[in-house]
Amino acid sequence: MEIRGYIEHFIYKNAENGYGILNLVTEDEEIICTGSFRDVDMGETISAEGEYVNHQVYGRQFKVASYRVVAPDDASSMQRYLSSGAIKGIGEALAARIVKKFGDRTFRVIEDEPERLSEVKGISEKKARDICLQMAEKRQMRDAMMFLAQYGISGNLSVKIYNTYGERIYNVIRQNPYQLSDDISGVGFKTADEIAEKVGIEVDSDFRIRSGILYALLQSSADGNTYLPMEGLVKRAVSVLQSRPDCEINDELVKTQIMNLAMDMKLVIKNDDQVFSSSYYYEEQGCAAMLTDLNISEKISPVEEEEYKNRILAIEQSRKIQLDDLQRQAVLKSITGGVVIITGGPGTGKTTTINTIIGYYESSGLDIMLAAPTGRAAKRMTEATGYEARTIHRLLEVSGQGLDDSDNRPSGVHFEKNRDNPLEADAIIIDEMSMVDIHLFYALLKALVPGVHLILVGDSSQLPSVGPGQVLRDLIDSGQFATIYLKKIFRQAEESDIVMNAHRIHDGQAPVLDNKSRDFFFLERDDAQVIYKHMIQLIRDKLPGYVKAGCFDIQVLSPMKKGALGVIRLNSILQEYLNPPDPSKKEHLHGELLFREGDKVMQIRNNYQAVWEVIGNYNIPIDQGMGVFNGDMGVIREINEYAAELVVEFDDNRRVRYPFAELDELELAYAITIHKSQGSEYPAVVMPLLGGPRMLMNRNLLYTAVTRARSTVCILGSRKAVMDMVENEEQLRRYTGLKDRILDFADGQ
């Protein structure tokens, strides 16, 4: 239905996403309206379409689906608009004088004869021009909104587009809407293609084919690739481009435009077959160049080497530890080498080695910094070493001004630490290096200067990073950097069946599932419904006391998102039992996902602009900063329907406010994919396993899941599914070029 009235005032308006609650005065009544009202002000008259709804707290409201601004057509409406504050410099008294002077012709005078405004007491010629400009800007924006609306573009996205192009918006949309996907975060090929179809752009236009090629490469980066083989890219691009009906795009058309994009330097083609987007190619090349500059090894004499070894031995004695030969070698290389990699599985002494390296640098009066890719990994590093470890983002002092990295595109994120303002340290240790993608590694290297010792620690058998690249694997495979594989499993670790089974899985051997263990349990079940029942019992009733942790600290891990044992289904079940509905808990439905106060949630993409606060006594902020990152986990503390936002408290008591329009950044996290668990450690891990796609159910994934548990692993499901994963060595191949770029520099190219 449709209602018409003027906006008397806004009860609430979110400046970022435009969501608002306003009081609309019609001829008959005052109506509370909710919806997106980014481009309207108090005093304006609108005609809105939508429906009445009954809010459980605030009663009857009109939920606006769409609206249009109606120009005031009488003197009283015009006076109401001018006195609303929409036009800066005009208050109630001045608005009354303007309308008294010009009556129903007021708006025509402002638009066509603005100089006449100076006839009104209190308005100079300069002020008259300013009023005219403000009115024109608002009219131009409304016209642009209406123009974009006919192509199905939402209000929020319309504002982004208008702010980017201004009055050029009409030419961009009519001539090459695919430019939107290049210039505006949040607009992908599919959105641009829908607009292009409505505009009437041909399916085989050069603009469309080029945009489809770039989109296909962007899609592949979500799978971890930094390039695609030529034939693979052509195949993907053709599939993307043939999404429009009656569209016949052949391979040759695509190959021609790939070559044209390379001529325009938007693509780089190596070895006639590897096709990179320029940004990924130059990031990998930049990493290779900077690593080459950093990799300066100190030449030491046998006498000096003996002195170093004696100092290392003294640290061992003072700390009452005993390193094996490989650990001592790792420490020595970390002192004398430029870039050093320390890798090994669980229980092989990586933490002890790190502590010894820290001890050496500290005793030498040198500065050392510790970092890890995620907050949880940094926290673990701090607990294990006793020294402050930060996330790499915080180490580099991330700044969120005007940044966004949605759609998996390389973000324009700005770090305060960079070439012009490098990190000041003698050595930097990065833990959990398998999680670091090419973007973050590039940013880190830009903040280092030759002479600093870069020590990279990680388990090369873990899953690669969620983001594009396989940095740790490429560095090791290049053979250009000192790499120490720690292999010995220490006696304390030998007492853990988690550690021993992890190594069995890594070596392709069957884990011991005889339930004689104190920390590794297997419950054979062949029915998903039965698994649900026992999973709830374990998490809610049995494991918390056993591992001395809360039920929210126990993590369910699954190889997949969909299916009976995928995280989507598991989360709906776990939410029902671990955080059931309660009259005291507010809820909000976002799409098909229900959020409830008390829910365990996870941030699923980097948001460098998100502001967090730590709240102290009397509700006073005691710390604040910017940035919430992919994989951060927290609990919903508040849902405020009136303010249209919810509050999540993450680790370290950091609280972030999420407007309802940005809830796509959150997922329930009672169950998460094994990929999302990288770098984290949980008191107990519960894994339901019955089977799934072969590319997912592999050894690497099972190994990663098992090594996420600190005290207990519980597998519920099929013994055959476990054994199939152990035997399956297949992994989805990643196409990355860092190794080749490193070797190019090693060869002097």
Side-chain angles (χ1 to χ4, degrees), residues 270-317:
K270 293 292 290 185
N271 304 323
D272 298 322
D273 184 56
Q274 301 173 351
V275 187
F276 296 79
S277 68
S278 293
S279 59
Y280 285 113
Y281 177 79
Y282 290 114
E283 278 193 354
E284 289 188 331
Q285 187 181 56
C287 286
M290 290 183 284
L291 283 166
T292 301
D293 291 341
L294 286 171
N295 195 28
I296 306 167
S297 294
E298 179 185 342
K299 293 181 179 179
I300 56 174
S301 67
V303 173
E304 290 171 319
E305 181 176 343
E306 194 62 31
E307 288 178 1
Y308 281 130
K309 288 181 177 179
N310 288 335
R311 289 189 61 186
I312 294 169
L313 183 60
I315 293 169
E316 290 182 54
Q317 292 170 346

Side-chain angles (χ1 to χ4, degrees), residues 337-352:
V339 179
V340 178
I341 300 166
I342 302 171
T343 185
T348 55
K350 294 191 296 294
T351 299
T352 303

Side-chain angles (χ1 to χ4, degrees), residues 496-499 501-502 505 513 515 517-523 538 543 546-547 555 557 682-687 689 702-716:
S496 165
D497 288 312
I498 294 174
V499 170
N501 274 336
I505 292 165
L513 305 177
N515 285 334
S517 169
R518 291 177 298 175
D519 60 14
F520 202 104
F521 304 99
F522 175 71
L523 282 70
L538 283 168
L543 284 175
Y546 189 72
V547 298
Q555 189 61 55
L557 300 181
Y682 311 99
V685 162
V686 176
M687 267 190 294
L689 295 174
L702 182 62
Y703 173 80
T704 299
V706 167
T707 55
R708 297 307 89 205
R710 182 167 64 246
S711 301
T712 301
V713 170
C714 290
I715 299 176
L716 296 89

Side-chain angles (χ1 to χ4, degrees), residues 54-61 583 586-587 639-642:
N54 278 310
H55 191 278
Q56 59 183 0
V57 176
Y58 304 111
R60 182 171 176 262
Q61 298 177 341
K586 295 176 184 174
E587 299 177 351
I639 295 177
N640 188 330
E641 286 285 348
Y642 224 57

Side-chain angles (χ1 to χ4, degrees), residues 51-267:
E51 61 180 351
Y52 282 102
V53 296
N54 278 310
H55 191 278
Q56 59 183 0
V57 176
Y58 304 111
R60 182 171 176 262
Q61 298 177 341
F62 190 79
K63 187 176 182 180
V64 176
S66 64
Y67 67 89
R68 58 188 174 86
V69 177
V70 180
D73 54 8
D74 61 81
S76 62
S77 296
M78 293 178 186
Q79 182 174 334
R80 191 164 51 238
Y81 175 70
L82 291 173
S83 63
S84 69
I87 304 298
K88 292 179 181 177
I90 299 181
E92 290 186 15
L94 186 54
R97 292 201 297 273
I98 293 171
V99 174
K100 183 178 180 181
K101 174 74 176 175
F102 300 112
D104 291 349
R105 296 179 298 115
T106 296
F107 276 23
R108 188 188 65 76
V109 169
I110 293 174
E111 291 174 1
D112 299 335
E113 303 175 86
E115 68 279 358
R116 291 196 60 195
L117 287 173
S118 60
E119 297 173 16
V120 178
K121 183 181 178 182
I123 299 181
S124 64
E125 288 186 11
K126 181 178 180 298
K127 189 166 187 175
R129 288 194 299 271
D130 183 56
I131 292 169
C132 176
L133 283 172
Q134 288 189 61
M135 290 286 284
E137 285 173 3
K138 289 180 180 295
R139 187 181 68 251
Q140 288 166 4
M141 187 169 188
R142 282 198 293 269
D143 290 346
M145 297 291 147
M146 293 172 68
F147 171 73
L148 294 171
Q150 66 184 309
Y151 299 113
I153 301 174
S154 69
N156 289 344
L157 189 53
S158 293
V159 174
K160 265 188 178 181
I161 295 171
Y162 180 77
N163 288 341
T164 301
Y165 299 117
E167 286 297 289
R168 293 193 300 121
I169 193 171
Y170 303 100
N171 286 336
V172 170
I173 295 295
R174 289 171 180 145
Q175 294 175 14
N176 179 20
Y178 297 102
Q179 188 176 336
L180 300 176
S181 60
D182 288 339
D183 297 340
I184 298 173
S185 178
V187 179
F189 171 80
K190 291 181 179 178
T191 301
D193 202 32
E194 288 171 4
I195 298 169
E197 186 174 8
K198 291 173 183 174
V199 171
I201 290 176
E202 296 295 328
V203 293
D204 60 351
S205 78
D206 291 352
F207 289 137
R208 182 170 187 267
I209 295 173
R210 287 179 174 214
S211 185
I213 292 165
L214 295 173
Y215 178 70
L217 269 180
L218 185 64
Q219 277 188 315
S220 78
S221 72
D223 298 328
N225 302 307
T226 60
Y227 78 87
L228 281 179
M230 178 70 78
E231 291 304 319
L233 175 56
V234 170
K235 184 178 178 181
R236 277 197 186 218
V238 168
S239 175
V240 165
L241 291 163
Q242 288 184 338
S243 59
R244 291 230 328 237
D246 304 320
C247 177
E248 289 295 330
I249 301 291
N250 60 47
D251 292 5
E252 290 309 310
L253 280 172
V254 172
K255 286 182 179 178
T256 298
Q257 293 305 328
I258 288 174
M259 295 303 171
N260 288 337
L261 284 165
M263 291 285 288
D264 291 342
M265 301 183 70
K266 290 192 174 182
L267 298 180

